Short mmCIF file of all heavy atoms in Angstrom, two decimals:
data_model
loop_
_atom_site.label_atom_id
_atom_site.label_comp_id
_atom_site.label_asym_id
_atom_site.label_seq_id
_atom_site.Cartn_x
_atom_site.Cartn_y
_atom_site.Cartn_z
N ALA D 1 -30.72 50.55 -33.68
CA ALA D 1 -30.59 51.74 -34.53
C ALA D 1 -29.58 52.69 -33.91
O ALA D 1 -29.70 53.06 -32.74
CB ALA D 1 -31.94 52.42 -34.69
N ARG D 2 -28.59 53.06 -34.67
CA ARG D 2 -27.56 53.96 -34.16
C ARG D 2 -28.14 55.36 -33.92
O ARG D 2 -29.03 55.80 -34.62
CB ARG D 2 -26.40 54.06 -35.14
CG ARG D 2 -25.53 52.83 -35.12
CD ARG D 2 -24.31 53.05 -35.99
NE ARG D 2 -23.44 51.91 -35.95
CZ ARG D 2 -22.23 51.92 -35.38
NH1 ARG D 2 -21.78 53.00 -34.82
NH2 ARG D 2 -21.48 50.84 -35.39
N GLY D 3 -27.57 56.03 -32.95
CA GLY D 3 -27.98 57.40 -32.66
C GLY D 3 -27.00 58.43 -33.20
O GLY D 3 -27.27 59.61 -33.17
N THR D 4 -25.85 57.97 -33.69
CA THR D 4 -24.82 58.86 -34.19
C THR D 4 -24.53 58.52 -35.65
O THR D 4 -24.14 57.39 -35.95
CB THR D 4 -23.52 58.72 -33.38
OG1 THR D 4 -23.81 58.94 -32.00
CG2 THR D 4 -22.45 59.70 -33.84
N ILE D 5 -24.72 59.50 -36.52
CA ILE D 5 -24.41 59.30 -37.94
C ILE D 5 -22.92 59.51 -38.18
O ILE D 5 -22.26 58.71 -38.82
CB ILE D 5 -25.23 60.27 -38.82
CG1 ILE D 5 -26.72 59.98 -38.67
CG2 ILE D 5 -24.81 60.18 -40.28
CD1 ILE D 5 -27.62 60.99 -39.32
N TRP D 6 -22.39 60.61 -37.66
CA TRP D 6 -21.01 60.96 -37.88
C TRP D 6 -20.48 61.64 -36.64
O TRP D 6 -21.21 62.44 -36.04
CB TRP D 6 -20.89 61.87 -39.10
CG TRP D 6 -19.48 62.16 -39.48
CD1 TRP D 6 -18.67 61.42 -40.26
CD2 TRP D 6 -18.72 63.28 -39.07
NE1 TRP D 6 -17.43 62.00 -40.36
CE2 TRP D 6 -17.44 63.16 -39.63
CE3 TRP D 6 -18.97 64.38 -38.26
CZ2 TRP D 6 -16.44 64.09 -39.42
CZ3 TRP D 6 -17.97 65.31 -38.04
CH2 TRP D 6 -16.72 65.15 -38.64
N PRO D 7 -19.30 61.40 -36.22
CA PRO D 7 -18.38 60.41 -36.77
C PRO D 7 -18.80 59.00 -36.36
O PRO D 7 -19.42 58.80 -35.32
CB PRO D 7 -17.04 60.78 -36.15
CG PRO D 7 -17.39 61.39 -34.83
CD PRO D 7 -18.71 62.08 -35.05
N ARG D 8 -18.43 58.06 -37.17
CA ARG D 8 -18.71 56.65 -36.89
C ARG D 8 -18.04 56.31 -35.55
O ARG D 8 -16.92 56.69 -35.30
CB ARG D 8 -18.14 55.80 -38.00
CG ARG D 8 -18.42 54.34 -37.89
CD ARG D 8 -17.95 53.67 -39.18
NE ARG D 8 -18.28 52.32 -39.35
CZ ARG D 8 -19.37 51.69 -39.01
NH1 ARG D 8 -20.31 52.34 -38.42
NH2 ARG D 8 -19.57 50.43 -39.25
N CYS D 9 -18.76 55.59 -34.71
CA CYS D 9 -18.22 55.30 -33.39
C CYS D 9 -18.40 53.82 -33.04
O CYS D 9 -19.17 53.12 -33.69
CB CYS D 9 -18.91 56.17 -32.33
SG CYS D 9 -20.69 56.02 -32.32
N GLU D 10 -17.67 53.42 -32.04
CA GLU D 10 -17.77 52.04 -31.56
C GLU D 10 -19.08 51.84 -30.82
O GLU D 10 -19.60 52.76 -30.18
CB GLU D 10 -16.65 51.73 -30.58
CG GLU D 10 -15.33 51.41 -31.22
CD GLU D 10 -14.37 50.85 -30.18
OE1 GLU D 10 -13.82 51.66 -29.41
OE2 GLU D 10 -14.19 49.61 -30.15
N VAL D 11 -19.59 50.62 -30.90
CA VAL D 11 -20.75 50.23 -30.11
C VAL D 11 -20.40 48.93 -29.39
O VAL D 11 -19.57 48.14 -29.86
CB VAL D 11 -22.03 50.04 -30.95
CG1 VAL D 11 -22.40 51.34 -31.65
CG2 VAL D 11 -21.88 48.93 -31.96
N PHE D 12 -21.03 48.74 -28.23
CA PHE D 12 -20.80 47.54 -27.43
C PHE D 12 -22.13 46.98 -26.97
O PHE D 12 -23.00 47.74 -26.51
CB PHE D 12 -19.94 47.86 -26.20
CG PHE D 12 -18.57 48.35 -26.54
CD1 PHE D 12 -18.31 49.72 -26.63
CD2 PHE D 12 -17.54 47.46 -26.77
CE1 PHE D 12 -17.04 50.18 -26.95
CE2 PHE D 12 -16.26 47.91 -27.09
CZ PHE D 12 -16.01 49.27 -27.19
N HIS D 13 -22.29 45.69 -27.10
CA HIS D 13 -23.45 44.96 -26.59
C HIS D 13 -22.95 44.11 -25.42
O HIS D 13 -22.04 43.30 -25.60
CB HIS D 13 -24.04 44.05 -27.67
CG HIS D 13 -24.60 44.79 -28.84
ND1 HIS D 13 -25.96 44.96 -29.02
CD2 HIS D 13 -24.00 45.40 -29.89
CE1 HIS D 13 -26.16 45.64 -30.15
NE2 HIS D 13 -24.98 45.92 -30.68
N ILE D 14 -23.54 44.31 -24.26
CA ILE D 14 -23.10 43.66 -23.03
C ILE D 14 -24.29 42.95 -22.40
O ILE D 14 -25.36 43.56 -22.25
CB ILE D 14 -22.55 44.71 -22.02
CG1 ILE D 14 -21.45 45.58 -22.65
CG2 ILE D 14 -22.10 44.05 -20.73
CD1 ILE D 14 -20.17 44.88 -22.97
N PRO D 15 -24.15 41.69 -22.00
CA PRO D 15 -25.26 41.04 -21.29
C PRO D 15 -25.54 41.75 -19.97
O PRO D 15 -24.60 42.08 -19.24
CB PRO D 15 -24.78 39.61 -21.05
CG PRO D 15 -23.41 39.51 -21.61
CD PRO D 15 -22.99 40.83 -22.14
N LEU D 16 -26.80 41.99 -19.69
CA LEU D 16 -27.17 42.64 -18.44
C LEU D 16 -27.40 41.53 -17.40
O LEU D 16 -28.44 40.90 -17.37
CB LEU D 16 -28.43 43.48 -18.63
CG LEU D 16 -28.75 44.50 -17.56
CD1 LEU D 16 -29.68 45.57 -18.11
CD2 LEU D 16 -29.26 43.93 -16.30
N THR D 17 -26.38 41.30 -16.60
CA THR D 17 -26.44 40.30 -15.54
C THR D 17 -26.00 40.97 -14.24
O THR D 17 -25.35 42.03 -14.29
CB THR D 17 -25.49 39.11 -15.83
OG1 THR D 17 -24.13 39.59 -15.77
CG2 THR D 17 -25.78 38.46 -17.18
N PRO D 18 -26.31 40.39 -13.10
CA PRO D 18 -25.84 40.99 -11.84
C PRO D 18 -24.32 41.19 -11.81
O PRO D 18 -23.84 42.23 -11.36
CB PRO D 18 -26.30 39.98 -10.78
CG PRO D 18 -27.51 39.34 -11.38
CD PRO D 18 -27.18 39.23 -12.86
N SER D 19 -23.57 40.23 -12.33
CA SER D 19 -22.11 40.38 -12.27
C SER D 19 -21.61 41.45 -13.23
O SER D 19 -20.72 42.23 -12.86
CB SER D 19 -21.42 39.04 -12.54
OG SER D 19 -21.70 38.57 -13.83
N THR D 20 -22.16 41.53 -14.45
CA THR D 20 -21.69 42.58 -15.37
C THR D 20 -22.06 43.96 -14.86
O THR D 20 -21.27 44.90 -14.97
CB THR D 20 -22.20 42.38 -16.81
OG1 THR D 20 -23.63 42.37 -16.83
CG2 THR D 20 -21.64 41.12 -17.44
N ILE D 21 -23.26 44.09 -14.29
CA ILE D 21 -23.67 45.39 -13.74
C ILE D 21 -22.73 45.80 -12.62
O ILE D 21 -22.27 46.95 -12.58
CB ILE D 21 -25.13 45.33 -13.23
CG1 ILE D 21 -26.10 45.24 -14.40
CG2 ILE D 21 -25.47 46.54 -12.35
CD1 ILE D 21 -26.12 46.45 -15.29
N GLU D 22 -22.44 44.90 -11.70
CA GLU D 22 -21.59 45.27 -10.57
C GLU D 22 -20.16 45.57 -11.02
O GLU D 22 -19.55 46.54 -10.56
CB GLU D 22 -21.61 44.20 -9.49
CG GLU D 22 -20.93 44.64 -8.20
CD GLU D 22 -21.41 45.99 -7.66
OE1 GLU D 22 -22.62 46.29 -7.74
OE2 GLU D 22 -20.56 46.76 -7.16
N GLU D 23 -19.61 44.77 -11.92
CA GLU D 23 -18.26 45.04 -12.42
C GLU D 23 -18.20 46.41 -13.10
O GLU D 23 -17.27 47.19 -12.86
CB GLU D 23 -17.83 43.95 -13.41
CG GLU D 23 -17.57 42.61 -12.78
CD GLU D 23 -17.40 41.50 -13.82
OE1 GLU D 23 -17.35 41.79 -15.03
OE2 GLU D 23 -17.32 40.33 -13.40
N LEU D 24 -19.17 46.69 -13.97
CA LEU D 24 -19.18 47.97 -14.68
C LEU D 24 -19.43 49.13 -13.73
O LEU D 24 -18.82 50.19 -13.87
CB LEU D 24 -20.20 47.94 -15.81
CG LEU D 24 -20.23 49.17 -16.71
CD1 LEU D 24 -18.84 49.46 -17.31
CD2 LEU D 24 -21.26 48.96 -17.82
N ALA D 25 -20.30 48.94 -12.75
CA ALA D 25 -20.55 50.01 -11.77
C ALA D 25 -19.28 50.34 -10.99
O ALA D 25 -18.99 51.51 -10.74
CB ALA D 25 -21.68 49.61 -10.83
N GLU D 26 -18.52 49.31 -10.62
CA GLU D 26 -17.26 49.55 -9.91
C GLU D 26 -16.27 50.32 -10.77
O GLU D 26 -15.63 51.26 -10.31
CB GLU D 26 -16.67 48.23 -9.43
CG GLU D 26 -17.42 47.62 -8.27
CD GLU D 26 -16.88 46.26 -7.86
OE1 GLU D 26 -15.76 45.88 -8.29
OE2 GLU D 26 -17.58 45.58 -7.08
N ILE D 27 -16.15 49.93 -12.03
CA ILE D 27 -15.27 50.67 -12.95
C ILE D 27 -15.77 52.10 -13.12
O ILE D 27 -14.99 53.05 -13.13
CB ILE D 27 -15.16 49.95 -14.31
CG1 ILE D 27 -14.43 48.61 -14.15
CG2 ILE D 27 -14.46 50.83 -15.35
CD1 ILE D 27 -14.51 47.72 -15.38
N SER D 28 -17.08 52.26 -13.24
CA SER D 28 -17.65 53.58 -13.50
C SER D 28 -17.46 54.56 -12.35
O SER D 28 -17.59 55.77 -12.53
CB SER D 28 -19.13 53.46 -13.88
OG SER D 28 -19.92 53.14 -12.76
N GLU D 29 -17.15 54.05 -11.18
CA GLU D 29 -16.85 54.94 -10.05
C GLU D 29 -15.53 55.68 -10.26
O GLU D 29 -15.27 56.68 -9.59
CB GLU D 29 -16.81 54.14 -8.75
CG GLU D 29 -18.19 53.64 -8.35
CD GLU D 29 -18.18 52.66 -7.19
OE1 GLU D 29 -17.09 52.20 -6.79
OE2 GLU D 29 -19.28 52.34 -6.70
N ARG D 30 -14.73 55.23 -11.22
CA ARG D 30 -13.41 55.82 -11.45
C ARG D 30 -13.30 56.52 -12.81
O ARG D 30 -12.20 56.92 -13.20
CB ARG D 30 -12.34 54.72 -11.36
CG ARG D 30 -12.28 54.05 -10.00
CD ARG D 30 -11.18 53.02 -9.89
NE ARG D 30 -11.37 51.83 -10.70
CZ ARG D 30 -12.13 50.78 -10.37
NH1 ARG D 30 -12.81 50.79 -9.24
NH2 ARG D 30 -12.21 49.73 -11.17
N ILE D 31 -14.41 56.65 -13.53
CA ILE D 31 -14.38 57.27 -14.85
C ILE D 31 -15.49 58.32 -14.96
O ILE D 31 -16.41 58.35 -14.15
CB ILE D 31 -14.55 56.23 -15.99
CG1 ILE D 31 -15.93 55.58 -15.91
CG2 ILE D 31 -13.42 55.21 -15.95
CD1 ILE D 31 -16.30 54.75 -17.14
N ALA D 32 -15.40 59.13 -15.99
CA ALA D 32 -16.49 60.05 -16.35
C ALA D 32 -17.41 59.31 -17.31
O ALA D 32 -16.94 58.54 -18.16
CB ALA D 32 -15.93 61.30 -17.01
N TYR D 33 -18.72 59.52 -17.20
CA TYR D 33 -19.66 58.75 -18.01
C TYR D 33 -19.41 58.82 -19.51
O TYR D 33 -19.63 57.82 -20.20
CB TYR D 33 -21.12 59.12 -17.69
CG TYR D 33 -21.54 60.46 -18.21
CD1 TYR D 33 -21.98 60.62 -19.51
CD2 TYR D 33 -21.51 61.58 -17.39
CE1 TYR D 33 -22.34 61.86 -20.00
CE2 TYR D 33 -21.86 62.82 -17.87
CZ TYR D 33 -22.29 62.95 -19.17
OH TYR D 33 -22.64 64.18 -19.65
N PRO D 34 -18.93 59.94 -20.10
CA PRO D 34 -18.73 59.92 -21.56
C PRO D 34 -17.65 58.93 -22.02
O PRO D 34 -17.59 58.60 -23.19
CB PRO D 34 -18.31 61.36 -21.90
CG PRO D 34 -18.83 62.18 -20.77
CD PRO D 34 -18.72 61.29 -19.56
N GLU D 35 -16.83 58.47 -21.10
CA GLU D 35 -15.87 57.45 -21.48
C GLU D 35 -16.58 56.16 -21.86
O GLU D 35 -16.13 55.43 -22.74
CB GLU D 35 -14.88 57.18 -20.34
CG GLU D 35 -13.94 58.34 -20.07
CD GLU D 35 -13.01 58.07 -18.92
OE1 GLU D 35 -12.24 57.08 -19.00
OE2 GLU D 35 -13.04 58.84 -17.93
N LEU D 36 -17.70 55.87 -21.20
CA LEU D 36 -18.46 54.66 -21.50
C LEU D 36 -19.32 54.86 -22.75
O LEU D 36 -19.27 54.05 -23.67
CB LEU D 36 -19.34 54.26 -20.32
CG LEU D 36 -20.24 53.05 -20.53
CD1 LEU D 36 -19.41 51.80 -20.90
CD2 LEU D 36 -21.07 52.79 -19.29
N ALA D 37 -20.12 55.91 -22.78
CA ALA D 37 -21.05 56.08 -23.91
C ALA D 37 -21.72 57.44 -23.87
O ALA D 37 -21.87 58.04 -22.81
CB ALA D 37 -22.12 55.00 -23.88
#
């Protein structure tokens, strides 16, 4: 169930695995959280 009615926004479904978590955590060290979601 979407949490945002307007404006329409992108959504991403990502498998939660040790490798995806670590890759995303490394990227997230260089970004602000609103860039992700």
Side-chain angles (χ1 to χ4, degrees):
R2 285 186 178 249
T4 305
I5 297 172
W6 186 85
R8 184 172 188 37
C9 56
E10 280 191 282
V11 299
F12 297 94
H13 295 256
I14 306 292
L16 196 159
T17 66
S19 63
T20 59
I21 289 295
E22 190 51 39
E23 289 169 7
L24 185 55
E26 287 176 13
I27 293 169
S28 73
E29 291 171 350
R30 299 183 292 278
I31 65 169
Y33 72 84
E35 292 178 59
L36 177 58

